[in-house]
Every structure is written in C-alpha cells, then in structure tokens.
Amino acid sequence: MVKFLKLYEKIGIFILIVFAGIFLAIASPNFLKTDTILNIITQGTYGVIVGFGMVLAITSGGFDLSVDAVVGLTSVFLSLLIPNIGIPSAIILSILISCFVGFLNGLIITKFGVNPLITTLSMATIIRGASLLIAKGRQIPISVEKFTVIGTGKLMGVPNPIWIMLVLFILFFLLLNQTPYGRHICAIGSNESAARVSGLNVTFVKIMVYVLVSFTASINGVIRTSQAMIGIPSMAPGFTLLVITITILGGTSLSGGKGNLIGAVFAGIFISMIYYGLNLIGVQYFYQLLSVGLVLLFALFVDGLRKRYLEAAKIKGIKV
Amino acid sequence: MTEISEGNVLLKMTGITKIFPGVTALKNVDFEVKYGEVHALVGENGAGKSTLIKILSGLYRPDGGEMLFEGKKVFFSDTRQAQLCKIAVIYQEFNLIPDLSVAENIFVGREPKTLGRLFINWRKLNAEARKILDRLDINLNPRKFVSDLSVAERQMAEIAKALSLDARLIIMDEPTATLTEKEVVKLFEIINELKKQQVSIIYISHRLEEAFKLSERITVLRDGEKIGTKNTSQTNQDEIVSMMVGKVVKDYFAGEKISEGKKEALLEVKNYTIANHVYDINFKLYKGEILGFAGVLGSGIHHMLRSIYGAAPRTKGEIFFNDKKVLIKNTNDAIKLGIGFVTEDRKGEGILYDMSVMQNLTIVVIKALTFLKGMFVKSAKEKKVFAQASKDLDIKFADLNQRIIFLSGGNQQKVIIGRTLISNCKVLILLEPTRGIDVGAKAEIHRIMRELANKGISIILSSSELAELVNLTDRCLVLYKGKMVAEFNRQNMDEEALVAAQIGQKINQT
C-alpha cells in the first residue's frame, strides 16, 4: 500500500489523464485534434494559475478562500480603469489593488492570529460586496478592442493563457524549489514553531504568500475579463473550490510542508478533460459542479490515506 | 536464576517474533512478568522495546510466538481485547481528554448514570474517582480539568484510570522523562503502592538508576533480540549498559574537562527578570566553558533561556555580548550575534517533519548558500555544508533527501544541534539535549559538547539529569522558584548537593 501511494504521488495524476484521454478518444472523434486539446488546456489554465498561488498558501500551512472574489474585484477595476488610463496601467493598477487585498489577508492572519479560513472567507465577502458597490451592481462593458488580445490571442499557434501559465509556472517553480524563500515556506508549513525558533521571519513569509495568491487570482481576473470584455463584479462564483481541488489533486499536502506545482498543472488539465467529457455527453452544468466536488473528495481521501500510511510506516520503521 | 513455578507468573511471552518489511523488529523473544513484580525493560532506541509493548497492547499482531496471560493463552487482535485482559499502557503522550475533569477521564465511556441511564451521576462519578485516587494516596482533586494539570498530575490521572479498569498489568513507557525529581519520588511511591496491591508493572526507561531503584528484574533487548534477564539485586549498571550496547562501556559520560584557561566573559546577563518566572538573575558565561543550569519545575530556567534567545519576552534586564550591551528582540537578533538554541521540545519546535535531513540542517543558513544576490540556492554548496556538518557530528542517515522523521531521536537531535552550529554559533544554549535519547547517542552528544567547548564555543546546558550536569559542566547554577540559590564549580559539585539546592534547601557554601 505504501508503495502504491508513493507511486500515486509520483505519477498518479498522469495515469488519470491517460485514462481520461483514452476514454475521450474513443467517445469523441474530435478529441484528438490540436484545436480541441489546446482548448481543453486553455480551459484548464484558469484554475491552474490560481492553483500556483494556492499551492504556496497550503504549503505554508495556510489557506485562501478569497480568490474568487479577487477575480471579480480585478474585473471591476479593469473595466473602470481601462477607458481612463489605458490598458497597461490599468492592468498593473488592478493587480496591485488585488495584491493589497492579499497583504491585508496576510496581515490579519499573522498579526492578529486569526484562522486563515475565517479571515479569507470574511475577506471574500467584503471584496464581493465592495466590487458590487464600486460597480453599482452593474456589469460594465469594455469597449477598448485591443484588450481582448490577452485572453483570446495566440502566439505561435498557442493561446495566450497557456503562455501566461507557463511563465508563471517557471517563476513559481523556481520560487518554491530553488530560493531560500521557498524553503522558508516549506519550513513554516512543516512546523511553524520550529521555524520561529530557527529565526525565520514567519510574519513576512506568510504575508508574502497571501500577496502571491491574490496576485495569481488577479492574473486570472485579467484573462477572464479580457475574454468577456466586460467587468463583472460577481465573476467566477464557486471558483475557489475548483482551485483547491486542483491543488490537492495535484499532490500538495493539506497539512502543509509539501507543495507540488507540476501536479497542479496536470490536475487542472484533468478536470478540464472531465468538463469536456461531460459536455460531450451533453449533461447540464449541475453535473460539472457535482463532479468537481467528487474529485475533491477523492483527492482528500488519497491525501488522508497517504498521511495515515506514512504515519504507520514511521511507526514500523519503514523507509519512505 | 531459579525456576519460577507457573503459578505466580502473570504474563508469559514465548518466541515472540515480529517482522516488518525489510526489518525483523523482534526475534524469538521470551519475556515474563510475575504477579506484583516491577520488571524493567531496557535497551537502546530501536532495540524492540516499543514493538514488544505494542504487541502486548494489541496494536501489532505478532508473526510468531504465543502469549499466556493469567495462565490462559491469549491473542490480541486489537487494543480493546488487551484492555479486556486488564492490560493498560501509559504512553509518554497521554491519552487524556484535556477538556474533561479527572473523574470524567477516569470513567470516560463508563460513567455512572442516573434517572434511567439518561444523565451522568456526578456525585457518584466524583466519589468513585476519589476512592481510586485514595487507593494510591494521590492528592488530586477529581473535579479538576485535565488541561489545568501538570505533567506529573496527568500521569497520576492516567494511572488511576488504568486502576479503575482493574488493570493487572500496567506498562509504563518512559514515565519519568518529563517529571521533576520530586515528582519522580512521588511516582515511585505510587508504583510501590501498586506493587503491594499485586499489580504488575513493566517499566521502560532510559534512566538505568530508576530501573535499579524500582525493579525486581531487568530484561535487556538489543536489535530485536533478548540479551538476558537479570535479577536486579545481582547485577549492576555497568553490566546492564554493556549488555545494551554490546560492548563494555565503563563511563558513558564524556571524558575529562578542560583546565581553566584565562577567563574571558563572552555573555553576561544582568538583573534579568521575567515577571512570574525569574527574578534578578545575574550570570556570566566564559569562553569555552560549559555552564550548567539545574532546577526543578517552576525554577524558570527554560523561560529565562528562551527569553535570552529572544523567543520569549522579558520584564527587565540587560545582556552584554563581548562586553557590548546588546538588545535581542527576536530569535533572528540572537542568531546574528551567534547565539544558538536547541529546544527541549524536539517534536514541537525542532524538526521540520516534511523536509529532508539536509533541508532541516541548512534551513537557518540557506540565505547564505545562494547566488545572484540571495536569489537561488546553490545546491552544490548546500550539499558541501551538509556533508561537513554531518561528518563533524557523525549524523547517520540513509540519504540526504530522506525525511527527517525517519531518523532516530539521537540523530534528529544532532541535526538540530548542527542547524545552530553552522550559523557561526559562539554560544550554544541546550535545553535537555539528551532527553529520550538512547545511551549510545547520549554519550556521543556529550562528546560533541565537550569538543565544541574545547573549540572555544560556550555552552549553556539545562538538564534535569543531574549526573549529566555533574559530569559535564564546568560550573553549575541552581535556580529555585525563579531565584538563583546556588553556584557550584567543579570542586564542590556533586549530585546530592545539586538535589538539595534544587528543592530549595539551604546549603553551606564555601
């Protein structure tokens, strides 16, 4: 069992993708076409990009439930700012505002010692409310045509969101695995007291983690808004759960200390494949929702199993 | 040894074997306990003590051998069956519910009921608990919440719980590891009382002197095999130690101490006060010396040392480092000055569970092992630092990416000591560095401490093991209820004097 779980940890998500791929290839003649596959991956990037941030948060022993609200906030600010200050400035400013939300999350969690779940859940509600207020409850169309390039354009035949995901992947991968900062995140998620005693700046590291989560959520907001060409305060409802599903299914341990970014990429693609398959059968949106919930439960189940067997292996003195 | 008639044997295990994938944890072990006997079980970490206990308590199923309990053949497939057989285990981490009272904990799941079994009969519950506590002469209010109890009191509650289950055999796993000397005395009284009531005890401890004080017989395990059982009155510590380690070890403490060099104060603490913990403490730490701190629970030593390291606040006081006044606001300040700290709570504050052996060692200095202005970790450099430290400290590991939780306690401790050492440490504060570590690793840690001191590193050692202080330190300060009550140097230091000073007895100092 330990061996199986170890194997699953390494290649489990690939096997899931292969199975899903074989199934889809049989079920649909259109599946094995470049356009379809690129489309599936593009759909997957939404969750994956924010998943990168969530991997950091969960690795540090935290959690962020405010990502969907940040997407909406970014969308509203983009729609208001683009006509006034131009596209580049509008994007930068919107992202900075979102990062500030992450900063507030981190500040409340570290300085006041509030549970991250409750903090970010409250923050999500506050941000949603604020977005609706700022937009006066309306959806705000964007008329600057050029803006649509970000979400719908292609570079060398590959849709831009995939490029964005790749760039972010490289950045976050280096950050988590090759920098002292990444090491500190793992240390804090592993044993916060020990990290503190070892002289690490726990407060700074954690605040930055929440800033980075909001940063990824904001990037997601930019892409979505650019595709919709409309500022929607209530954009991406229920998105947070999808992001968490991708993170856990990708092999990031819920108990912290161990993050897996590559896994998140493939988990995102896998879920996107499920959506595609469900669309193929022609079932309703409700089933998609249901399936994400089921996948999350499955991922949590495996995570729990892994923890239990690791514990047992430790007691029995088996090397893992 | 004389043959024991079957009649007075409570537990007889024969040919017990337990195999884990790749490891034989127990090989054909015979073990028996008589009625009303205290049988000490000793051995280094990994000798198979805990496996044997887990088989006895039903956590593990043996792969071979059989067990007779009260003359009947038994087989435990889970812990409940062991409990029904009246075997109780008191683990180091207690199984009490903190938010319930002592009485509720004793009778948890079996509370006396009233009014058609709907409600708990509180009066009866507390009275019954009182009765059990009185049986052992334990002075503990059954209405008190477990969360308000000291470690020693929790242990007593745990023993009372075992007794309320009418346990015939109580297994105690390192019961004194976290107790003060005074509490140990009380525990021994309780154990003797249990003995009188014909309760048998398997006593597991790293502290050999306790085994000798308490037990009728001692069984030594090594590498999963039984080395032998001795009548306590017919053996001595040296013999048992050599049985445990497999070779003759004369003195398991580090060798000689350094001669007094020129005294150069490296760290000076003045008028140090932490409200409710310590008051007006003054001391100097000289270069290359090992300074001991002794004190029973409530002495405030741990609090003070933590605070000096910047991990806890202080009320007032000054710290001088190299004759310069310094302000230590947090642990990072202390590390920058060259003060290292090794916690007494290895699990809670020491190891980073999910990380590798190497990452655990380099975490503090990782920022220095980088290129591009601290951006990226240089893995060759990190490996070099780790290789050097693991060689210096003789850390044993399978591979450097192995997770730290799979190392033995002694090796984990070495990694944590290494963590502080490689950050250019000049003062090393060690709290209970050998707690829960087997004899071999203990001797190594003592040797390492002495070597470090010889290299000019100053060490502060707080230990509840007085023999350790007497054998290892150059000077020893004793705190009692937050006040400094005595200072010993090598000439006038001995265990009896330390014990007396620790519990606040006035002593004549010359």
Side-chain angles (χ1 to χ4, degrees):
Chain A
M1 192 66 192
V2 177
K3 265 192 191 143
F4 168 76
L5 284 167
K6 272 212 74 161
L7 197 70
Y8 175 85
E9 205 174 298
K10 279 205 182 106
I11 57 165
I13 189 70
F14 297 101
I15 293 171
L16 288 179
I17 286 184
V18 169
F19 273 123
I22 293 170
F23 176 80
L24 289 175
I26 295 168
S28 155
N30 286 327
F31 174 69
L32 284 176
K33 284 182 182 154
T34 321
D35 275 355
T36 315
I37 289 176
L38 280 178
N39 191 22
I40 288 177
I41 297 178
T42 311
Q43 295 296 320
T45 59
Y46 304 144
V48 174
I49 286 173
V50 190
F52 293 154
M54 194 65 83
V55 166
L56 297 195
I58 293 181
T59 306
S60 80
F63 229 85
D64 193 337
L65 297 179
S66 68
V67 289
D68 57 349
V70 171
V71 172
L73 184 76
T74 309
S75 183
V76 168
F77 271 105
L78 281 173
S79 62
L80 291 174
L81 291 173
I82 285 175
N84 298 316
I85 60 173
I87 296 171
S89 318
I91 291 175
I92 291 170
L93 199 59
S94 305
I95 291 176
L96 282 178
I97 290 165
S98 299
C99 287
F100 182 70
V101 172
F103 172 76
L104 285 181
N105 275 333
L107 200 69
I108 295 167
I109 289 163
T110 53
K111 287 288 176 194
F112 304 108
V114 186
N115 175 309
L117 285 172
I118 302 300
T119 307
T120 54
L121 192 61
S122 328
M123 189 57 80
T125 317
I126 294 169
I127 298 300
R128 277 281 188 230
S131 308
L132 282 162
L133 255 172
I134 295 166
K136 300 196 180 72
R138 292 169 298 137
Q139 301 192 344
I140 308 163
I142 301 169
S143 51
V144 184
E145 281 301 325
K146 264 198 290 183
F147 181 56
T148 190
V149 171
I150 295 172
T152 57
K154 283 186 178 182
L155 186 67
M156 295 190 289
V158 176
N160 286 341
I162 297 182
W163 288 113
I164 296 173
M165 179 187 80
L166 283 177
V167 170
L168 285 175
F169 172 75
I170 292 168
L171 287 178
F172 275 75
F173 187 83
L174 290 176
L175 184 78
L176 187 62
N177 298 299
Q178 298 296 327
T179 67
Y181 177 74
R183 211 53 89 68
H184 291 174
I185 292 177
C186 293
I188 290 167
S190 220
N191 188 344
E192 191 172 327
S193 319
R196 229 176 263 281
V197 169
S198 303
L200 305 192
N201 191 341
V202 176
T203 309
F204 170 78
V205 173
K206 278 181 140 186
I207 289 179
M208 280 311 289
V209 162
Y210 288 98
V211 169
L212 285 168
V213 184
S214 286
F215 169 74
T216 55
S218 178
I219 298 278
N220 177 285
V222 173
I223 296 172
R224 280 181 198 251
T225 310
S226 139
Q227 285 170 344
M229 286 306 274
I230 189 164
I232 307 171
S234 59
M235 193 176 249
F239 179 55
T240 305
L241 195 75
L242 177 77
V243 173
I244 290 168
T245 308
I246 287 172
T247 309
I248 306 293
L249 185 65
T252 296
S253 169
L254 199 57
S255 48
K258 202 173 151 298
N260 190 339
L261 291 160
I262 303 174
V265 174
F266 287 104
I269 294 170
F270 174 68
I271 287 178
S272 187
M273 285 168 91
I274 293 183
Y275 279 2
Y276 178 81
L278 291 171
N279 271 327
L280 214 64
I281 314 169
V283 291
Q284 287 166 303
Y285 166 72
F286 314 130
Y287 287 95
Q288 297 188 359
L289 213 59
L290 195 135
S291 63
V292 171
L294 284 176
V295 172
L296 177 57
L297 276 184
F298 168 76
L300 287 172
F301 169 71
V302 174
D303 188 49
L305 262 189
R306 203 186 49 182
K307 224 180 303 169
R308 229 175 38 220
Y309 276 89
L310 200 73
E311 201 59 38
K314 194 181 83 183
I315 291 169
K316 294 173 186 175
I318 302 168
K319 251 184 250 152
V320 174
Chain B
M1 208 171 70
T2 48
E3 271 296 311
I4 310 133
S5 67
E6 283 292 323
N8 55 14
V9 175
L10 172 70
L11 168 80
K12 194 174 175 68
M13 301 170 93
T14 35
I16 297 290
T17 299
K18 177 75 193 169
I19 301 162
F20 294 120
V23 208
T24 307
L26 286 176
K27 232 178 284 168
N28 217 4
V29 171
D30 298 342
F31 183 67
E32 62 166 34
V33 182
K34 288 189 257 183
Y35 283 99
E37 174 191 42
V38 175
H39 196 137
L41 187 60
V42 300
E44 297 201 6
N45 286 346
K49 287 171 297 177
S50 16
T51 312
L52 193 69
I53 293 320
K54 280 173 180 151
I55 286 171
L56 255 180
S57 63
L59 269 172
Y60 292 165
R61 288 179 218 185
D63 295 314
E66 61 173 30
M67 287 193 275
L68 290 173
F69 193 78
E70 296 190 299
K72 280 189 297 257
K73 200 174 161 190
V74 290
F75 180 80
F76 304 139
S77 56
D78 60 38
T79 48
R80 203 170 160 71
Q81 288 180 349
Q83 247 178 40
L84 288 175
C85 262
K86 308 196 188 317
I87 295 176
V89 188
I90 296 170
Y91 291 105
Q92 277 169 284
E93 288 94 20
F94 304 122
N95 288 314
L96 296 172
I97 303 159
D99 296 322
L100 295 183
S101 73
V102 172
E104 285 173 285
N105 263 290
I106 292 175
F107 291 104
V108 67
R110 305 171 290 131
E111 299 89 350
K113 304 272 174 41
T114 180
L115 278 181
R117 306 189 47 78
L118 264 178
F119 299 101
I120 293 174
N121 186 342
W122 291 102
R123 191 196 296 265
K124 195 168 169 213
L125 178 79
N126 288 320
E128 292 283 323
R130 180 79 270 160
K131 232 187 263 169
I132 288 168
L133 293 167
D134 283 346
R135 244 177 87 185
L136 293 172
D137 197 23
I138 297 172
N139 183 21
L140 189 63
N141 182 355
R143 288 168 203 267
K144 235 177 160 181
F145 284 103
V146 167
S147 52
D148 297 332
L149 301 183
S150 70
V151 176
E153 287 172 326
R154 282 178 202 210
Q155 193 172 53
M156 291 174 193
E158 189 83 76
I159 294 172
K161 187 176 163 186
L163 215 56
S164 82
L165 287 159
D166 199 20
R168 305 299 311 150
L169 175 64
I170 297 181
I171 300 160
M172 298 187 179
D173 189 3
E174 293 284 345
T176 55
T178 47
L179 300 192
T180 61
E181 304 261 340
K182 210 170 160 188
E183 291 164 340
V184 169
V185 172
K186 178 68 197 167
L187 176 70
F188 286 6
E189 280 170 17
I190 293 173
I191 289 176
N192 284 325
E193 195 55 46
L194 286 168
K195 228 172 8 181
K196 271 187 217 151
Q197 299 177 18
Q198 286 295 298
V199 176
S200 308
I201 289 162
I202 298 176
Y203 191 89
I204 301 167
S205 179
H206 280 117
R207 302 182 182 173
L208 282 185
E209 62 268 35
E210 290 175 0
F212 275 88
K213 235 180 245 171
L214 279 174
S215 69
E216 271 76 37
R217 288 188 292 169
I218 301 177
T219 291
V220 181
L221 293 179
R222 186 174 78 223
D223 298 331
E225 284 178 85
K226 178 166 143 179
I227 303 302
T229 299
K230 298 270 174 189
N231 283 329
T232 309
S233 53
Q234 291 160 11
T235 183
N236 56 46
Q237 290 206 24
D238 283 345
E239 186 185 14
I240 296 292
V241 168
S242 61
M243 282 167 83
M244 283 164 69
V245 296
K247 52 184 187 265
V248 183
V249 183
K250 215 53 215 126
D251 180 9
Y252 53 83
F253 284 114
E256 77 228 75
K257 295 162 177 172
I258 47 151
S259 58
E260 303 211 6
K262 47 181 179 174
K263 288 203 164 182
E264 211 181 314
L266 185 61
L267 184 80
E268 189 177 357
V269 172
K270 276 187 185 163
N271 304 322
Y272 214 84
T273 298
I274 307 168
N276 298 325
H277 292 291
V278 291
Y279 307 95
D280 255 340
I281 303 291
N282 294 286
F283 70 88
K284 279 182 183 172
L285 175 68
Y286 297 107
K287 224 172 214 166
E289 81 165 340
I290 301 181
L291 175 64
F293 272 96
V296 293
L297 205 73
S299 67
I301 292 173
H302 284 196
H303 244 92
M304 179 184 69
L305 294 177
R306 239 165 215 290
S307 164
I308 291 173
Y309 178 65
R314 64 164 162 223
T315 313
K316 73 181 174 75
E318 290 170 333
I319 299 171
F320 292 84
F321 196 81
N322 269 333
D323 290 331
K324 268 206 306 266
K325 191 177 163 179
V326 291
L327 194 62
I328 298 173
K329 281 179 300 193
N330 53 43
T331 53
N332 210 7
D333 291 347
I335 290 170
K336 272 185 201 146
L337 282 171
I339 300 175
F341 180 87
V342 174
T343 170
E344 81 280 18
D345 184 5
R346 195 163 57 237
K347 265 191 193 160
E349 291 184 334
I351 60 171
L352 304 163
Y353 306 89
D354 302 292
M355 300 175 81
S356 71
V357 182
M358 178 172 73
Q359 290 175 339
N360 260 280
L361 194 112
T362 54
I363 189 73
V364 178
V365 293
I366 195 71
K367 269 192 179 154
L369 308 174
T370 50
F371 57 92
L372 284 181
K373 290 185 179 152
M375 278 286 278
F376 297 109
V377 175
K378 235 182 190 165
S379 86
K381 212 167 171 187
E382 184 181 9
K383 279 191 186 129
K384 215 174 119 194
V385 168
F386 176 73
Q388 184 62 42
S390 60
K391 207 180 111 212
D392 288 350
L393 296 172
D394 197 19
I395 299 169
K396 290 182 192 75
F397 57 95
D399 100 71
L400 47 84
N401 292 318
Q402 189 182 12
R403 286 180 62 183
I404 188 158
I405 49 169
F406 295 109
L407 295 190
S408 69
N411 278 309
Q412 287 180 2
Q413 187 69 299
K414 286 190 207 165
V415 170
I416 291 166
I417 292 175
R419 182 193 287 168
T420 59
L421 284 180
I422 56 175
S423 60
N424 189 27
C425 157
K426 299 184 194 86
V427 173
L428 185 58
I429 301 173
L430 298 164
L431 305 187
E432 307 288 348
T434 57
R435 176 185 286 173
I437 285 178
D438 66 62
V439 178
K442 209 169 183 172
E444 272 188 73
I445 288 186
H446 290 152
R447 176 184 56 78
I448 289 165
M449 284 168 68
R450 186 38 78 194
E451 275 174 16
L452 291 172
N454 288 344
K455 273 187 208 157
I457 291 173
S458 309
I459 294 176
I460 294 178
L461 168 68
S462 159
S463 176
S464 53
E465 245 178 90
L466 297 178
E468 189 168 84
L469 292 170
V470 171
N471 283 285
L472 209 59
T473 62
D474 300 306
R475 282 188 304 141
C476 191
L477 307 175
V478 183
L479 265 66
Y480 176 68
K481 289 188 174 168
K483 293 198 177 85
M484 181 113 56
V485 290
E487 173 171 353
F488 295 93
N489 54 35
R490 263 184 287 155
Q491 279 76 41
N492 64 3
M493 191 175 352
D494 62 56
E495 276 192 56
E496 284 89 87
L498 278 176
V499 169
Q502 269 193 339
I503 56 173
Q505 286 177 12
K506 281 268 186 294
I507 33 162
N508 297 324
Q509 271 201 59
T510 43

